[in-house]
Amino acid sequence: MTTTPMMPPMGDANFDGGAPALPPQPGTDMTGICFRDQLWLNTYPLDRNLVFDYFALSPFYDWTCNNEQLRSRSIHPLDISQLSKMTGSEYMLSEVMEPHLFVIRKQKRDGPEKVTPMLTYYILDGSIYQAPQLCNVFAGRLGRGLYHISKAFSFASSKLEKTGYVASENERSASESKAAKETIDFKELKRVDHILASLQRKLPPVPPPPPFPEGYVPPSTAEASENQQAETQLPPVDPIIDQGPSKRMKV
């Protein structure tokens, strides 16, 4: 198995003969950055055997982990038989979809069967990212949902205010037009009555009905009574006499 062991950067050299200083441990929240080494990707294949060496180049790598101790002894850093005998922080390759996706989990080992997950990283097409924690995902989703809900309520309230204003304006204009229609112009009423009275005086009287022809037999008394009742129920309406000035309201 071919590996490309990488040593930690030397940093500030210790001229007194001591060991070189190790870089500080990566922070817990590094979701805002990503790492990609195109030169390494062009030189080595990205598979399950070399993916950890590539991950060790990133700022997400903790040089104090148990995997680094195995690398220093020329043992594969993901050998579970060796990692299970150690305690402390370590990295495990949890999911693999070569060559596009690799999921690496950082965990704390307290015994052969007792591990506590800490952080998760994933390598997607050669770019390394830190996966956000579940609480941060929930907080972000809730914050985004609350923002859109608040924006929707603000938009709805503005529309309701505008609709209420328009409705009140329409009701006011309708009431004004109705009041204007119900107002009676008495001068115009007197003028129309005067015109109708003058027309009534100018028209000739109604001529008498013509006599019955010879041999005409009047209808029976029952039919006559029915006709009389019909005449009493529905009297003819003369548009001039029955609706003339005498029938109008006098002021």
Side-chain angles (χ1 to χ4, degrees), residues 123-145:
I123 304 174
L124 181 62
D125 293 331
S127 299
I128 305 176
Y129 306 88
Q130 177 184 341
Q133 297 183 0
L134 190 59
C135 60
N136 295 335
V137 174
F138 283 158
R141 295 294 176 85
L142 288 175
R144 183 177 300 178

Side-chain angles (χ1 to χ4, degrees), residues 2 81 114 139 169 198 244:
T2 304
S81 62
K114 186 178 181 181
E169 289 292 332
S198 62

Side-chain angles (χ1 to χ4, degrees), residues 66-217:
N66 298 335
N67 309 84
E68 185 62 27
Q69 298 181 26
L70 296 180
R71 294 179 72 199
S72 63
R73 291 184 289 170
S74 300
I75 303 175
H76 196 278
L78 298 177
D79 190 351
I80 188 62
S81 62
Q82 298 293 329
L83 290 173
S84 60
K85 301 176 183 178
M86 308 171 70
T87 58
S89 62
E90 63 183 24
Y91 295 94
M92 289 294 298
L93 189 63
S94 60
E95 297 184 18
V96 177
M97 294 178 60
E98 293 182 348
H100 301 290
L101 179 63
F102 301 87
V103 179
I104 297 176
R105 183 176 67 247
K106 184 179 182 180
Q107 58 190 14
K108 182 181 180 182
R109 181 176 293 276
D110 297 322
E113 301 295 335
K114 186 178 181 181
V115 294
T116 304
M118 298 173 62
L119 296 171
T120 303
Y121 306 89
Y122 61 96
I123 304 174
L124 181 62
D125 293 331
S127 299
I128 305 176
Y129 306 88
Q130 177 184 341
Q133 297 183 0
L134 190 59
C135 60
N136 295 335
V137 174
F138 283 158
R141 295 294 176 85
L142 288 175
R144 183 177 300 178
L146 290 175
Y147 168 76
H148 288 295
I149 291 174
S150 176
K151 190 174 181 180
F153 273 111
S154 300
F155 180 76
S157 63
S158 64
K159 288 292 184 180
L160 288 176
E161 291 177 359
K162 185 180 296 184
T163 303
Y165 176 76
V166 173
S168 61
E169 289 292 332
N170 293 336
E171 291 177 358
R172 188 182 300 110
S173 61
S175 62
E176 291 177 356
S177 61
K178 185 178 180 181
K181 290 180 180 179
E182 292 178 353
T183 303
I184 300 175
D185 191 354
F186 294 103
K187 293 183 178 180
E188 185 69 19
L189 187 62
K190 289 182 177 181
R191 189 177 68 85
V192 173
D193 289 343
H194 179 70
I195 294 174
L196 293 177
S198 62
L199 290 175
Q200 184 179 4
R201 288 192 298 268
K202 291 179 181 180
L203 290 176
V206 181
F212 293 109
E214 296 181 359
Y216 175 74
V217 179

